[in-house]
Amino acid sequence: MKADPKGVLTGSHYLDGDHACAEGALAAGCRFFGGYPITPSTEVAERFAQRCPLVGAIFIQMEDELASLASVIGASWSGLKSMTVTSGPGFSLMMEHVGLAVMTETPLVLADVQRGGPSTGLPTTTGQADMMQARWGSHGDYEIIALSPNSPQETFDFTIKAFNLSEKYRVPVLLMMDECVGHMTEKVIIPAAEEIEIEPRRFYKGPQGKYLPFKPDKDMVPPMVKVGDGYRFHITGLTHDERGYPDMTVDCQEKLVRRLVDKIRKNADDIIEFEEDGVEGADVVVVAYGITSRVTLRAIKLARKEGIKVGILRLIVVWPFPEKRIRELARQVKALVMPEINYGQVVLELDRCACGQAEVVLVPHGGGWVHDPDDILYAIRQAARGKRVGEGIVEYHRKKRG
Amino acid sequence: MTEIRFAGFGGQGIIRSGIIIGKAVSIFDEKFATMNQSFGPEARGGACSAQIVLSDEQVLYPYVTVPDILVAMSQEAYTTYESELGEGGILIIDADLVRPRSTGAKIRLYTVPATRFAEELGNRIIANVAMLGFFTAVTGVVSLEAMKKTIPSLVPPGFLEMNLKAFDRGYAYGQDVLAGEKAEKTKSPLKRRNYHVR
């Protein structure tokens, strides 16, 4: 299906990442936004609210983040593509309803414009420390999809991708932005509506009495109906059967939660997306995501000038993690390096998937700024020697001036 | 690659200036321009700066490291950022808002009474646009055509004429300064250095 031209602001624009996110949502067909302002994500809400009357969308500022995500879940069941945005503290408050959205298989997009934490932390500066919260933040067992853009253009593109994935798999999709990308202004090209591919919602079209809201199709994903269309159905966060009624038995739990996990795991090859450059024949591969992947490219340029054989694997989809590819790479290279703006989160997955076959190097950063490319370069140089295979996650610290 | 910092107080249109330069370069001059902003929690009056990185290829590191051009529209901005400027860098200050101290740094200093121009044109709010006119003339990092195409999309329609006048005033002043520089250069290179280079 092609995008509805009403929401597509075709042309070349000079936008920051937050505004690009709002435009991406509108282009993807998002017509409901429920949110609560928080730096550095507020501009997404502002832009969406401003554009609402022109596009025919609805914006509600809710009383807090819990209510925001609750409103988005409700709006999605009413048939509208829906989203919210937030940052660290608000992301924490939304965790309960992330679980509800997973359990009720509600398609929605939640953008987290990451800032420095924990707690109130660094409201106006950047971080990447919510990555594991994105993966595991809500209680219970589940699989989720998270994307990580590194520019305003990608924020536009990936917001559309996020909506498409959430509709395809009936799962909340997290757009893990960060303050640097959110507040960075660059050229964003918005294509014509007919060039934007949209995943339409899969609606059930059978007779009213026969609808089973949680009876999956072959791909493990059930079709939906709209609230108010005359179908009677029940939705609950309790373990439920295909009718949506609570069935708190071991068998039902196994059937339901197994499917919630498997619909992502077994379709992982379709969901996972990454970019590689110079990986064949490399001694070192840097695995990076978000703004850090961009800063890494500068370090790689410098390292290649020194003759180091270094490639990059840039994660577009961070969760699910490209386990298979990392296993392959670990057998081919001396070292895998991960710079991230935290003290080691996604690197835990990297280390797990490396299976002791390659040295795993973390280049941490506490947040508040992006990496100094020289710190990444230093780690690449050390890693190229590949002497610490099997030691777990290692770090190299360059002596700072002064 | 050219790294630029625009700095002053919140409310002076500092970030708007960054957006105008970035848009002109990336949309109309068809190069790459990444703009980042930093500001305090205050709506007006706090320290504020826009960082713009211009390049012929994709900008990888999005922040300014050693600026080639610093535009200071407040004494505080000048004091905070002056020492960042690289050798041969260009420093542009508002003549009435910044009093430069004498340092040994080898930089090119330009002064322009941007705020005074704006006041003479009827509203000091357009001082940043007068500054942009001057900036365009003396730095050459963005084309005049691109700036002229960009400004209408980024100022309120009712104030467009006033903004364009301010831009032209700043630009003309910049051209005069360059012409004066050239004349002095042919007359006495030593004197020119004393005048513009500290």
Side-chain angles (χ1 to χ4, degrees):
Chain A
M1 197 177 116
K2 303 299 176 194
D4 171 6
K6 235 189 335 183
V8 184
L9 203 65
T10 304
S12 293
H13 306 270
Y14 198 57
L15 297 179
D16 70 19
D18 281 358
H19 284 201
C21 176
E23 288 303 333
L26 290 165
C30 176
R31 294 295 179 265
F32 179 87
F33 187 114
Y36 189 78
I38 183 168
T39 304
S41 74
T42 307
E43 292 91 333
V44 185
E46 283 175 351
R47 175 100 180 188
F48 196 97
Q50 199 180 21
R51 295 260 289 129
C52 267
L54 302 168
V55 178
I58 299 165
F59 173 89
I60 304 182
Q61 181 171 323
M62 299 300 292
E63 66 267 36
D64 58 30
E65 283 87 350
L66 284 81
S68 297
L69 195 49
S71 74
V72 168
I73 292 172
S76 187
W77 275 96
S78 80
L80 293 182
K81 290 190 181 177
S82 307
M83 83 172 302
T84 189
V85 301
T86 191
S87 185
F91 197 49
S92 292
L93 292 174
M94 286 183 183
M95 280 303 129
E96 177 172 356
H97 285 154
V98 167
L100 182 63
V102 167
M103 193 60 150
T104 56
E105 297 178 72
T106 308
L108 60 88
V109 172
L110 194 179
D112 175 19
V113 189
Q114 296 173 88
R115 61 193 222 184
S119 190
T120 322
L122 301 168
T124 60
T125 53
T126 200
Q128 292 184 311
D130 302 349
M131 297 309 296
M132 275 299 175
Q133 188 179 18
R135 176 64 190 85
W136 299 110
S138 198
H139 59 273
D141 228 341
Y142 62 96
E143 289 278 343
I144 203 148
I145 300 174
L147 304 162
S148 182
N150 74 12
S151 68
Q153 178 70 55
E154 282 195 353
T155 305
F156 174 85
D157 297 338
F158 292 7
T159 304
I160 297 172
K161 209 183 281 277
F163 272 98
N164 287 347
L165 287 167
S166 84
E167 293 296 337
K168 191 167 183 187
Y169 295 106
R170 270 189 71 177
V171 65
V173 174
L174 307 175
L175 187 71
M176 301 305 286
M177 299 167 64
D178 60 72
E179 185 276 339
C180 183
V181 168
H183 281 166
M184 170 200 292
T185 310
E186 282 186 338
K187 179 152 106 173
V188 176
I189 297 170
I190 300 183
E194 63 265 23
E195 288 165 29
I196 300 174
E197 202 58 49
I198 298 297
E199 180 82 27
R201 181 156 298 182
R202 196 186 312 178
F203 284 116
Y204 173 79
K205 299 208 178 65
Q208 290 196 355
K210 295 267 170 74
Y211 176 56
L212 292 169
F214 296 96
K215 184 178 182 335
D217 286 346
K218 272 188 193 139
D219 60 356
M220 289 175 277
V221 184
M224 289 181 87
V225 294
K226 277 185 225 167
V227 170
D229 269 4
Y231 292 92
R232 290 177 62 181
F233 58 97
H234 193 262
I235 313 167
T236 175
L238 287 167
T239 296
H240 47 268
D241 61 19
E242 289 180 344
R243 298 170 302 161
Y245 292 137
D247 178 3
M248 289 160 284
T249 60
V250 175
D251 284 352
C252 190
Q253 173 79 357
E254 158 64 18
K255 202 174 159 196
L256 174 64
V257 183
R258 167 61 69 184
R259 180 173 63 77
L260 294 183
V261 167
D262 277 354
K263 74 175 174 182
I264 305 300
R265 281 188 195 166
K266 295 201 167 155
N267 290 309
D269 287 343
D270 176 58
I271 299 166
I272 287 169
E273 209 176 322
F274 53 82
E275 280 174 350
E276 289 182 349
D277 177 58
V279 165
E280 290 311 315
D283 287 330
V284 178
V285 169
V286 184
V287 182
Y289 56 91
I291 186 60
T292 308
S293 64
R294 219 168 129 165
V295 176
T296 293
L297 289 174
R298 192 191 250 194
I300 284 180
K301 249 188 189 175
L302 298 169
R304 283 178 180 163
K305 267 190 201 155
E306 294 179 9
I308 302 171
K309 285 187 224 151
V310 53
I312 182 169
L313 185 151
R314 196 284 284 248
L315 304 171
I316 290 171
V317 172
V318 180
W319 308 124
F321 193 72
E323 198 164 329
K324 263 193 247 170
R325 183 59 184 149
I326 297 296
R327 285 193 205 289
E328 277 170 21
L329 284 177
R331 284 193 290 267
Q332 294 166 18
V333 302
K334 286 186 190 164
L336 296 163
V337 176
M338 178 168 278
E340 48 181 345
I341 308 177
N342 57 52
Y343 291 105
Q345 295 196 6
V346 181
V347 75
L348 297 171
E349 277 293 275
L350 190 68
D351 185 47
R352 181 179 71 80
C353 300
C355 297
Q357 304 274 309
E359 179 177 322
V360 177
V361 181
L362 166 67
V363 190
H365 189 301
W369 208 250
V370 298
H371 284 78
D372 182 335
D374 287 344
D375 287 335
I376 303 173
L377 173 63
Y378 183 77
I380 292 171
R381 273 191 211 131
Q382 302 302 315
R385 302 190 298 183
K387 285 189 175 159
R388 296 173 72 184
V389 181
E391 283 186 32
I393 298 165
V394 299
E395 292 180 26
Y396 295 105
H397 297 282
R398 147 179 104 99
K399 278 193 192 113
K400 301 273 181 198
R401 280 164 282 148
Chain B
M1 199 170 72
T2 310
E3 299 185 12
I4 305 162
R5 185 187 291 279
F6 241 81
F9 287 124
Q12 278 183 313
I14 298 296
I15 288 165
R16 178 61 40 149
S17 303
I19 294 173
I20 291 173
I21 296 168
K23 183 169 180 178
V25 169
S26 69
I27 308 284
F28 298 109
D29 281 345
E30 296 190 350
K31 291 178 186 167
F32 290 87
T34 301
M35 203 281 291
N36 259 290
Q37 48 194 307
S38 55
F39 45 82
E42 312 88 345
R44 286 187 181 77
C48 161
S49 103
Q51 310 181 33
I52 312 126
V53 183
L54 310 180
S55 178
D56 292 331
E57 47 191 47
Q58 197 206 356
V59 175
L60 300 177
Y61 188 78
Y63 297 111
V64 163
T65 47
V66 180
D68 303 291
I69 305 168
L70 168 65
V71 180
M73 291 189 67
S74 75
Q75 190 66 37
E76 190 188 330
Y78 171 82
T79 312
T80 310
Y81 297 117
E82 193 262 351
S83 61
E84 274 186 0
L85 260 182
E87 197 167 312
I90 298 175
L91 171 63
I92 304 176
I93 56 174
D94 188 298
D96 300 318
L97 302 179
V98 178
R99 185 167 298 163
R101 63 200 150 84
S102 183
T103 66
K106 284 178 185 161
I107 54 171
R108 282 160 66 198
L109 170 70
Y110 292 102
T111 59
V112 52
T115 305
R116 206 187 314 154
F117 286 164
E119 281 170 353
E120 283 166 15
L121 288 165
N123 198 335
R124 69 161 59 171
I125 202 105
I126 55 175
N128 64 327
V129 181
M131 181 58 94
L132 283 174
F134 185 78
F135 172 93
T136 307
V138 299
T139 67
V141 298
V142 54
S143 72
L144 175 65
E145 299 71 36
M147 290 297 273
K148 289 266 182 152
K149 281 183 198 159
T150 304
I151 291 170
S153 67
L154 290 169
V155 303
F159 292 88
L160 177 58
E161 208 189 314
M162 192 190 260
N163 273 287
L164 289 175
K165 270 186 194 158
F167 183 86
D168 290 342
R169 183 87 182 261
Y171 187 81
Y173 189 81
Q175 282 187 311
D176 286 350
V177 167
L178 287 185
E181 228 177 30
K182 214 174 169 186
E184 280 199 33
K185 201 175 181 179
T186 47
K187 237 184 349 192
S188 152
L190 229 148
K191 199 175 167 195
R192 181 194 153 258
R193 200 180 303 133
N194 286 340
Y195 182 67
H196 281 300
V197 182
R198 292 175 297 123

